Amino acid sequence: MIAPRAWAIDRFIHSLFASVLFLTVLFLWNRSYERSCLALALPGLTFLMIFHGLLEYRLERKRFWVDYYLDRASPLHGWFSRTGLSAPISLVVALPLAAFLSVFAARSRPTDWYFLFAAATAAPLLHHALGRWPGRHFRSSEGDTRRPTLADILVARLAGTLLLAGVVAAYIYAGYYLIPVPEGIFPESMERTVEAFSVRARSACPIVEDTLLIAAQLDGLSWYFVTTAATSSWLHDGIRPVVWAAFFLNAAMVFGGFVRGLEGSILLACRFGRHQKDE
């Protein structure tokens, strides 16, 4: 058995290492996506971490619902206690989050990594701080050491929600008010703007290149409308909120996937730390 204080410190170190490792996977993807289709293994790892974080939280929610409403002696209790739809639903939700995050990491500017690094550092700090309060008031499920406790899952989701709100707000404000707009925007020509953004989409893997090309074209259109057309008198007022909402949605999806991946990484570290404590 490990002393509680030493165990808490060890678990924080494991969570920090897991978060940095998740960030490293994205950085390696940024450096290797142009080379071959073998690099797709890195977004695959990203997807697994996002899926794991979503699945753990969804299983805990379902477990509460089943235990609260159904009698343990009822055959329905055993039937609903299975993974059922939790895994497919988590899979469907994780796929677009991983896709948005992978495209963002591949096409990221140097300033984007400041936000990713800050989020990866803040996630274990928030998890550790919230684990002391209010996490110490949460019930810790015992029994299966192969899964994180209920308190771990609730604290991870609470920390992730706070982190997601903070990083999205900071990114939107800095990205569109402080950080200069990317090069290649031609106010007089939408076509030239789209072409300039599309030049950056290059990869030896056809599926990666096609995906990045579509993302680059959409990004070019968005920047053109925001920097040029959105301030023009000919654009109807009702379109402007739609254009800005697209920016907000993209940031929310990207950092939503990143934060959920951090949650999954931290929960894996919690599982390892719990097993180590019980030895």
Side-chain angles (χ1 to χ4, degrees), residues 15-265:
S15 299
L16 181 61
F17 176 77
S19 299
V20 173
L21 187 60
F22 182 70
L23 178 64
T24 302
V25 169
L26 287 177
F27 182 75
L28 292 176
W29 161 247
N30 174 268
R31 295 300 180 183
S32 61
Y33 75 90
E34 295 180 338
R35 299 175 186 174
S36 72
C37 290
L38 294 177
L40 286 171
L42 296 171
L45 292 176
T46 301
F47 164 76
L48 289 177
M49 289 299 99
I50 296 173
F51 172 73
H52 178 253
L54 292 170
L55 181 62
E56 289 288 0
Y57 182 71
R58 185 166 292 277
L59 286 176
E60 202 58 58
R61 284 181 56 191
K62 188 188 71 171
R63 187 175 297 107
F64 166 79
W65 182 86
V66 171
D67 290 342
Y68 186 83
Y69 287 104
L70 298 180
D71 191 328
R72 289 183 177 273
S74 170
L76 291 178
H77 186 281
W79 192 81
F80 279 107
S81 295
R82 302 171 185 174
T83 56
L85 293 176
S86 297
I89 291 175
S90 300
L91 182 70
V92 170
V93 175
L95 279 173
L97 292 177
F100 270 81
L101 179 58
S102 298
V103 171
F104 176 82
R107 304 188 62 254
S108 60
R109 292 185 286 170
T111 51
D112 294 332
W113 290 96
Y114 297 148
F115 297 92
L116 295 176
F117 180 80
T121 305
L125 289 171
L126 268 175
H127 187 268
H128 180 72
L130 294 176
R132 298 174 63 87
W133 192 92
R136 62 187 178 91
H137 298 288
F138 295 151
R139 178 173 57 86
S140 294
S141 54
E142 301 295 338
D144 190 359
T145 59
R146 295 172 300 176
R147 299 192 67 251
T149 66
L150 170 61
D152 290 333
I153 295 172
L154 293 179
V155 169
R157 178 49 64 98
L158 178 58
T161 301
L162 294 175
L163 179 62
L164 179 59
V167 73
V168 169
Y171 180 77
I172 290 174
Y173 178 78
Y176 306 122
Y177 292 102
L178 299 180
I179 300 174
V181 298
E183 298 179 356
I185 299 176
F186 299 92
E188 71 283 356
S189 174
M190 180 189 302
E191 291 76 11
R192 290 183 62 191
T193 301
V194 173
E195 281 184 16
F197 275 74
S198 301
V199 169
R200 308 168 194 172
R202 292 290 182 269
S203 176
C205 183
I207 187 173
V208 174
E209 182 168 350
D210 292 342
T211 301
L212 293 181
L213 181 60
I214 294 173
Q217 292 172 344
L218 293 175
D219 197 26
L221 286 174
S222 299
W223 276 109
Y224 175 80
F225 278 112
V226 168
T227 58
T228 305
T231 58
S232 302
S233 58
W234 59 266
L235 187 65
H236 192 275
D237 290 341
I239 303 298
R240 295 175 187 175
V242 176
V243 174
W244 284 106
F247 274 106
F248 298 154
L249 177 61
N250 181 69
M253 290 291 289
V254 167
F255 288 103
F258 187 65
V259 168
R260 297 297 171 245
L262 290 174
E263 288 177 13
S265 303

